[in-house]
Amino acid sequence: MYYAFLVILTLLQTIVANQMMDLSVFEMRPYTIRLWSNYLVAAMVLWSPMLFTRKRRWTYVVSLLLDIWFIGNLMYFRSYGDVLNRWCLQNVSNLDGIWSSILPFLRWGDLLFPCVTILWIAFSETIQRDFLLPLWKRISIACVAFIICCTPQALIHKKAELPISPFDSYYADLSMGRVWYMHTFGAITHLANETINLIAHREGEVTPVSSGEIDQFIDTPHNVPEQGNLLLILFESLEDWTIGLEIDGQEVTPQLNRLVAHPMTGHYPMKAQVKEGKSSDAQLIIFNGLLPIKNGAASMRYAGNAYPSFVKYSNARTKRLFAAYSYHMWNQHMNALAYGFDTLYAENVSDCVLADSVILTIKRNPTPFIYTMVTMASHSPFLEYADSSSLEITHSEYDEAKTRYLQCVHYTDSALGRVINTILTDPKLANSTRIIITGDHPIFDLGTPVPFIIYDPYLSPVSVARPLYQMDIYSTLVERMHIATSWQGLGKNIVDTCAYKEEEVRMLESMSDRIIQTDFFSKKFVVSAH
């Protein structure tokens, strides 16, 4: 009786969790029956030790841990549109200092899960009658129930020739997505699958990158002097549609609009290529001309690698990275060093405070310089700085989340305006400093372009006819600044008119994954002597 009661409670938790993710589990059709049977089988297997013992208090701990897993997946889904995986364990340090951005994704309905555990403990401790059947009866009933529950899966397998086991190699790369896997098999099986992969995961032997593959991206370094300073601004979650947007007669990004209107500024939409590493992937792409790894974040898994960063190869006298978050986040302290920065400023501060630090550094330090500024105010869920914005939105076509997002973007835009003014109002700096502003990744739809805004006093804006990718930033900077490196990056200069083919992009992603996994640049000489 205790076993059946706990199995039913766990089944209900699984159904409720998937429904909270808007994964339909109530449609009356054969597929739904199969889903419920999968969830029920998982619950039966999880609590099967109860068939062999009278002790039950161990289940309290397991049930509590399961509650944490359910809630963690719900919060991660609300934040990133995905569910937790084994690589997330490497990113726990990212929580340092951003709890204010995490806790808003907790809902009152999530308390249902620990309440179920409390209900189970109360039932187990209150009902003390011994309903224990003989062992052979318990096992027989459980086996019959298990077979019945597996029948829908077996019928689907026979008809569609899909694997029965959720641990089949067919699902190894989860090419249909972890959310799909969670929907199909439930949170318990997803936890088991991720745990098994965490323990037994082997990246496998990686085929080294051959010279024939890489030669097209290696070229003779520039033999002309490096040119100018660089201020690179990575604007958190900035999507291209916000540039030039007006609401109730108010510009959402007035400072960026003013920069875009400058005759030496070009504005181009760009396809984002980040994966699980989010903002850290953007840094990997922009600084190194590489693409993110297939699983996890390179910033966490391969922070000790040698990287071909243009920052490292530049002859700038000062190279500093300013970030409005803890230096632990995405392993920033290690990656800043790996990418060639000599100083890292990483504090949990507002974008306005961050801007003041950048301005002070520009005024006090000699040129040439490379400064990177990473903003944070427009990080989801857009609560902390929305009220600090002067953008008033009374009637809007946007929902509450997008309204707060636009207010946060406006807040950061005002902070960046002061930095931009510092450069453009100083004739010496204005004539020698490139300003690049780009979104690190989209936030609402991964297919939404991010902006690439480049103010270049040395070169007038060019017209671009082909779709641009984030990986083009590295190649463009190396070419324009005359950085003395033979590594040209996987992308192309934005003036290159040859468009990418889909299979070419997939090939580059695969090759970059192999480059990073084999630490290719620890063995490859890619920079000329200064």
Side-chain angles (χ1 to χ4, degrees):
M1 178 177 177
Y2 296 110
Y3 172 72
F5 184 74
L6 190 51
V7 165
I8 295 301
L9 286 180
T10 306
L11 170 64
L12 294 176
Q13 283 182 306
T14 306
I15 293 172
V16 169
N18 277 359
Q19 193 60 40
M20 283 184 172
M21 295 182 192
D22 295 324
L23 305 177
S24 179
V25 290
F26 288 112
E27 295 180 15
M28 298 308 296
R29 56 194 180 102
Y31 180 71
T32 306
I33 296 175
R34 178 197 175 201
L35 296 182
W36 285 40
S37 70
N38 288 341
Y39 306 160
L40 185 56
V41 167
M44 291 173 66
V45 172
L46 174 66
W47 301 118
S48 58
M50 293 182 68
L51 296 170
F52 304 94
T53 178
R54 294 174 181 267
K55 297 179 179 179
R56 298 187 299 276
R57 291 186 175 176
W58 62 272
T59 64
Y60 305 165
V61 177
V62 175
S63 184
L64 180 60
L65 293 176
L66 198 59
D67 295 338
I68 295 173
W69 176 250
F70 278 120
I71 295 173
N73 274 285
L74 286 168
M75 294 176 68
Y76 196 76
F77 180 81
R78 292 163 186 153
S79 176
Y80 295 112
D82 201 356
V83 292
L84 294 171
N85 59 75
R86 59 190 179 276
W87 306 113
C88 291
L89 296 177
Q90 296 181 324
N91 304 337
V92 173
S93 60
N94 288 350
L95 300 177
D96 182 23
I98 64 166
W99 282 106
S100 60
S101 296
I102 300 297
L103 293 179
F105 291 108
L106 189 64
R107 303 284 186 268
W108 284 108
D110 298 342
L111 296 177
L112 172 67
F113 297 98
C115 285
V116 168
T117 296
I118 293 172
L119 175 63
W120 160 241
I121 294 174
F123 177 82
S124 177
E125 293 294 327
T126 304
I127 308 299
Q128 295 295 334
R129 292 182 57 190
D130 192 352
F131 295 98
L132 203 60
L133 296 173
L135 180 61
W136 71 271
K137 286 187 178 181
R138 280 179 270 146
I139 295 177
S140 298
I141 294 173
C143 286
V144 170
F146 186 83
I147 292 172
I148 293 173
C149 291
C150 286
T151 300
Q153 177 69 278
L155 293 175
I156 292 290
H157 166 70
K158 184 177 180 180
K159 185 175 181 179
E161 297 184 354
L162 292 174
I164 293 179
S165 170
F167 309 112
D168 193 284
S169 58
Y170 176 85
Y171 302 115
D173 64 352
L174 295 181
S175 57
M176 286 173 276
R178 291 187 175 88
V179 175
W180 170 87
Y181 189 93
M182 175 82 88
H183 185 207
T184 305
F185 298 108
I188 297 173
T189 307
H190 174 57
L191 173 60
N193 189 46
E194 290 299 323
T195 302
I196 291 170
N197 281 318
L198 178 65
I199 297 172
H201 177 76
R202 297 292 182 271
E203 206 68 62
E205 186 174 347
V206 180
T207 305
V209 179
S210 66
S211 59
E213 291 177 283
I214 205 74
D215 281 351
Q216 61 178 308
F217 307 105
I218 303 291
D219 200 359
T220 303
H222 294 284
N223 57 4
V224 294
E226 188 171 322
Q227 192 179 57
N229 313 305
L230 174 65
L231 173 64
L232 173 61
I233 299 173
L234 300 183
F235 197 133
E236 171 65 33
S237 305
L238 183 64
E239 298 185 340
D240 190 70
W241 60 274
T242 63
I243 308 299
L245 179 67
E246 288 191 14
I247 299 179
D248 297 332
Q250 305 167 93
E251 293 180 284
V252 174
T253 58
Q255 305 302 325
L256 297 190
N257 295 346
R258 186 166 60 85
L259 181 64
V260 168
H262 194 286
M264 301 304 290
T265 300
H267 170 211
Y268 314 97
M270 184 167 276
K271 180 176 176 57
Q273 294 175 284
V274 301
K275 292 185 179 178
E276 292 182 36
K278 307 295 181 182
S279 300
S280 68
D281 280 350
Q283 292 188 28
L284 174 78
I285 297 168
I286 294 169
F287 293 137
N288 305 292
L290 295 170
L291 290 171
I293 56 177
K294 181 180 179 181
N295 294 309
S299 64
M300 309 302 287
R301 297 185 59 196
Y302 299 103
N305 278 20
Y307 288 100
S309 169
F310 74 82
V311 178
K312 184 186 302 182
Y313 304 137
S314 167
N315 62 13
R317 295 178 64 180
T318 54
K319 308 171 183 180
R320 301 191 176 184
L321 190 150
F322 300 81
Y325 50 74
S326 167
Y327 68 91
H328 289 297
M329 190 172 182
W330 292 120
N331 235 352
Q332 188 70 83
H333 58 304
M334 293 188 65
N335 289 289
L337 178 64
Y339 296 164
F341 289 98
D342 51 43
T343 306
L344 170 65
Y345 173 95
E347 299 285 347
N348 294 312
V349 297
S350 69
D351 288 348
C352 284
V353 172
L354 188 72
D356 290 339
S357 297
V358 174
I359 292 170
L360 187 62
T361 303
I362 290 174
K363 291 179 177 180
R364 287 184 174 179
N365 287 277
T367 59
F369 61 75
I370 291 180
Y371 296 148
T372 295
M373 179 178 176
V374 187
T375 72
M376 195 65 173
S378 48
H379 190 284
S380 62
F382 326 119
L383 292 177
E384 191 168 355
Y385 294 98
D387 293 337
S388 301
S389 169
S390 60
L391 181 67
E392 296 182 3
I393 303 179
T394 53
H395 299 89
S396 173
E397 61 184 284
Y398 305 107
D399 60 23
E400 183 182 358
K402 280 194 175 180
T403 297
R404 293 197 307 264
Y405 165 73
L406 291 173
Q407 290 173 321
C408 291
V409 167
H410 182 80
Y411 170 81
T412 297
D413 175 84
S414 64
L416 297 184
R418 301 205 306 273
V419 182
I420 295 170
N421 286 339
T422 299
I423 293 174
L424 295 186
T425 56
D426 183 322
K428 183 178 179 181
L429 288 174
N431 292 324
S432 63
T433 305
R434 290 177 182 83
I435 302 174
I436 290 182
I437 302 175
T438 184
D440 54 356
H441 57 78
I443 187 64
F444 297 107
D445 183 346
L446 295 180
T448 302
V450 296
F452 176 56
I453 300 170
I454 176 168
Y455 163 82
D456 190 339
Y458 297 94
L459 185 65
S460 297
V462 296
S463 108
V464 177
R466 67 175 176 88
L468 296 178
Y469 286 74
Q470 273 183 312
M471 60 184 172
D472 294 330
I473 297 178
Y474 174 94
S475 303
T476 300
L477 280 175
V478 167
E479 183 67 27
R480 289 198 176 199
M481 294 186 69
H482 306 151
I483 303 290
T485 174
S486 57
W487 171 245
Q488 301 302 301
L490 297 176
K492 305 171 184 176
N493 191 327
I494 62 172
V495 299
D496 191 324
T497 58
C498 185
Y500 296 100
K501 298 178 180 178
E502 287 188 19
E503 57 270 22
E504 181 183 5
V505 174
R506 288 195 295 269
M507 180 274 291
L508 293 175
E509 290 174 346
S510 175
M511 185 169 67
S512 184
D513 188 80
R514 289 158 54 207
I515 286 173
I516 295 172
Q517 286 195 54
T518 58
D519 197 6
F520 175 83
F521 288 102
S522 65
K523 314 171 188 68
K524 189 73 176 178
F525 186 68
V526 296
V527 61
S528 66
H530 289 304

